[in-house]
């Protein structure tokens, strides 16, 4: 059963709908959310239209199984003007289930700054006038914690200044240390005058066959805690990527102009863990505890005046503000991550844009008159201030950059230095062609759609054809539709095999065969592609920038011709898949 | 045997203990139907709080009970006789640990049995089952001046 809460901020009304059809057909999570997006988002609307829905969905396994902790958000992206999807952990998934909700759809626009407060079936749109304009996303959380009950089972979502200012890649902060990071959900919140959401409830979900369920739970809990499967995430976290990527020559450096960083070990997971790791924390229902929280002690005046803040780090933000900007001082990297955090910006997009801006400045595309700052790879101070300028849309250049790199390039030039595909800045991998094609094909143009970077690494040292790469990308993305409908954290993708998913679902009374799951994965992908097509996305028009082609990788330089071949083959395969479906 | 919070600072807030209790004793996925609660004080950047029965030797909750529903358990903590409970709420008021005594929907307290299932699922030994030591008699001897 899928119980959906609809909230209309314009009319300040809400209602609940049961949609058995959706959960039966698409499981939950991304399957349900992407279908709801097709239903709820009128064709061709502006992403800041009140009609753009914010859709949050959990899955039938969320919270109930180890590492199945996520909530999916779907919306029309203000950054790419097409399909928007982002995932977040924290307490949100469990909180929604305890509030008796499988999905939430928010539409309309509040006339004044507001926040949504959900306590079981009690749904209120409350005044957020005082919270609007606050300099730090953390303060907003602290204030709401004090006025909204439900500590321990409550989740608090909020946007920062960037979201209020409609920066098109503003994120939504979830429970202080997690995020709906990519594609600008924070700006969609801002466009609705929606500052925050608090979700909490006291609903209990009873197991029909607790023996069966406990048996499956215990098996997986054992694998998670007592084998090496999750060690990477538990030990150093994703930051453990830095050294191996650098060693294989796949660490994007100085805006993809190099594939190695000198002194990379200084921003490695090892170095961060040894010198900056304050603690680890976890999402509800996950014993791994992969959230690495760093401590940052800063002197703000003479006479030993210090303050200390705690900021979560992961590989992607380290890449965005570290190697990508040529910065190998870990303190400075953490300082930039923290800066991005308090304003509520997507780290990858912000870092990639700053990399472009640095190249644009040194190549005379823009001048210091435009930037108001000196920006040089390896020097953090300029970037520290530039982050605020983007979040506050300070001046013409930053105002344009707050919209998108595409509009900035249109106005100022500098297209060859862009490191993005289909309008979405790419994640921290210069692994090879699968990475670039994966970002290009992925429904949300994210490295997590199909893990092209991982396919490159699997193929290292082997001979392969572009067609084989494309086939691998497509099947990985199909399988991930099932995982993200449950909603699994993708870190557990190797643990949750198809067989185990079937057993888990069966233990909570949902009968789905492997074949049915595979079919559902394909259908979900088709829904996403239908939305993309409807909103005008045309993959044949995607151009890969010169910078990404020139960037050395372990496979050497990529050829435009191979990429074209890959895209053509992908189009053909998609046409065949569509024909088969008919 | 009784539960003891031995390594509070190691808690990562995964709530595996909460889920283990509700799964085992109530056959539910629930935060509230659990005899142990994890929450934060000061948000995730602050500290975690573990609220669970401390298995006092002379439990104030049992002392406060006027109907005899709560009686001291051998080895610490209390035993509930639900048929005697009149849901007066005094046991909750008498406990100094906020959240350690809570009620189910029928108004009866959720009483920790110190079974240790929560400790079994804790990835970092935050909670442990341990043998309770009988409190030693405190002898006050006049000091020689």
């Amino acid at each position: 059963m899928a119980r959906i809460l609809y909230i209309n901020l314009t009319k300040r009304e809400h209602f609940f709908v049961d949609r058995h059809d959706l959960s039966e057909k698409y499981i939950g999570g991304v399957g349900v959310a992407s279908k709801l997006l097709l239903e709820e988002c009128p064709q061709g609307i502006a992403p800041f239209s009140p009609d753009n829905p914010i859709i949050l969905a959990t899955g039938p396994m969320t919270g109930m199984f180890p590492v199945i902790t996520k909530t999916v958000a779907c919306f029309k992206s203000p950054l790419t003007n097409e399909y928007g999807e982002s995932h977040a952990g924290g307490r949100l998934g469990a909180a929604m289930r305890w509030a008796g909700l499988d999905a939430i759809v928010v539409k309309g626009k509040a006339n004044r700054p507001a926040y949504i407060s959900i306590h079981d079936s009690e749904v209120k749109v409350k005044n957020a006038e005082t919270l609007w304009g606050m300099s730090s996303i953390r303060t907003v959380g602290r204030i709401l914690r004090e006025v909204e009950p439900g500590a321990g089972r409550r989740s608090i979502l909020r946007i920062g200044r960037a979201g209020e200012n409609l920066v098109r890649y503003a994120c939504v902060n979830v429970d202080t240390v997690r995020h709906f990071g990519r594609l600008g959900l924070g700006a969609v919140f801002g466009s609705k005058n929606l500052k925050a959401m608090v979700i909490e409830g006291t609903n209990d979900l009873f197991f029909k066959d607790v023996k069966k369920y406990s048996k499956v739970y215990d098996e997986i809990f054992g694998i998670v805690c007592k084998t090496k499967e999750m060690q990477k995430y538990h030990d150093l976290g994703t930051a453990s990527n830095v050294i191996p990527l650098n060693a294989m020559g796949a660490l994007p450096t100085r805006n993809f102009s190099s594939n190695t960083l000198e002194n990379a070990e200084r921003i490695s997971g090892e170095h961060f863990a040894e010198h900056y790791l304050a603690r680890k924390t976890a999402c509800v229902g996950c014993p791994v505890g992969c959230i690495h929280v760093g401590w940052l002690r800063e002197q703000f005046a003479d006479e030993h005046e210090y303050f200390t803040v705690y900021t979560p780090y992961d590989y992607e933000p380290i890449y965005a503000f570290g190697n990508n900007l040529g910065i190998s001082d870990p303190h400075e990297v953490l300082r930039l991550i923290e800066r991005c955090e308090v304003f509520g910006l997507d780290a990858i997009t912000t870092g990639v844009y700053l990399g472009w801006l640095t190249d644009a400045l040194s190549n005379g595309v823009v001048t210091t008159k435009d930037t108001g700052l000196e920006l040089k790879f390896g020097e953090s101070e300029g970037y520290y201030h530039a982050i605020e300028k983007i979040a506050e849309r300070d001046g013409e250049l930053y105002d344009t950059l707050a919209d998108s790199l595409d509009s900035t390039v249109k106005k100022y030039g500098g297209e060859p230095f862009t490191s993005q595909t289909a309008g979405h800045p790419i994640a921290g991998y210069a692994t090879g062609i699968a990475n670039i094609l994966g970002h290009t094909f992925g429904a949300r143009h994210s490295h997590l759609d199909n893990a092209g970077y991982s396919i490159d690494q699997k193929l290292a040292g082997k001979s392969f054809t572009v067609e084989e790469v494309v086939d691998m990308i497509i099947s990985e993305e199909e399988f991930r539709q099932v995982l993200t409908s449950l909603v699994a954290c993708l870190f557990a993708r190797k643990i949750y095999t198809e067989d185990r998913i079937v057993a888990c679902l069966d233990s909570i009374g949902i009968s789905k065969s492997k074949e049915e799951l595979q079919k559902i994965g394909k259908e979900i992908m088709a829904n996403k592609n239908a939305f993309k097509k409807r909103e005008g996305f045309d993959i044949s028009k995607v151009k890969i920038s010169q910078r990404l082609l020139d960037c050395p990788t372990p496979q050497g330089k990529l050829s435009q011709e191979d990429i074209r071949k890959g895209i053509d083959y992908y189009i053909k395969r998609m046409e065949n898949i569509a024909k088969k479906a008919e | 045997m009784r539960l003891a919070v031995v390594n509070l600072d190691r808690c990562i807030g995964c709530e595996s203990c909460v889920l283990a209790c509700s799964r085992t004793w109530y056959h539910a996925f629930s935060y509230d139907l659990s005899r142990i609660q994890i929450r934060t004080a000061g948000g995730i950047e602050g500290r975690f709080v573990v609220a669970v029965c401390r298995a006092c030797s002379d439990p104030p909750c049992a002392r406060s009970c006027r109907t005899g529903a709560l009686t001291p358990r051998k080895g610490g903590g209390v035993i509930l006789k639900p048929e005697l409970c009149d849901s007066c709420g005094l046991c909750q008021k008498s406990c100094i640990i906020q959240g350690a005594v809570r009620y189910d929907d029928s108004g009866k307290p959720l009483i920790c049995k110190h079974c240790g299932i929560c400790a079994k699922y804790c990835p970092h030994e935050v909670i442990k089952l341990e043998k309770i030591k009988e409190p030693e008699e405190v002898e006050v001897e006049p000091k020689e001046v």
Side-chain angles (χ1 to χ4, degrees), chain A residues 63 91 98 145 151-153 175-176 202 204-207 210 213 217-218 221 234 279-282 284-287 289, chain B residues 11-16 19 23 26-33 38-40 42-48 121 123-124:
Chain A
R91 287 212 189 100
W98 289 329
R145 278 200 295 273
R153 52 167 188 250
D175 300 327
T176 315
T202 56
D204 310 310
L205 288 95
F206 292 94
F207 299 109
V210 77
Y213 162 73
Y217 181 96
D218 283 348
F221 194 89
H234 168 71
R279 73 184 309 174
K280 293 177 201 167
T281 176
V284 166
C286 175
Chain B
C11 180
I12 57 169
C14 71
E15 302 191 4
S16 296
L19 302 180
R23 176 170 72 241
Y26 301 97
H27 299 180
F29 172 69
S30 169
Y31 182 81
D32 291 277
L33 286 179
I38 304 292
R39 58 175 193 271
T40 55
I44 284 169
E45 67 266 43
R47 298 167 69 86
F48 286 105
Y121 287 88
H124 296 295

Side-chain angles (χ1 to χ4, degrees), chain A residues 459-471:
Chain A
L459 293 172
K462 294 177 189 153
S463 67
F464 57 87
T465 65
V466 176
E467 287 81 0
E468 282 166 350
V469 169
V470 175
D471 288 338

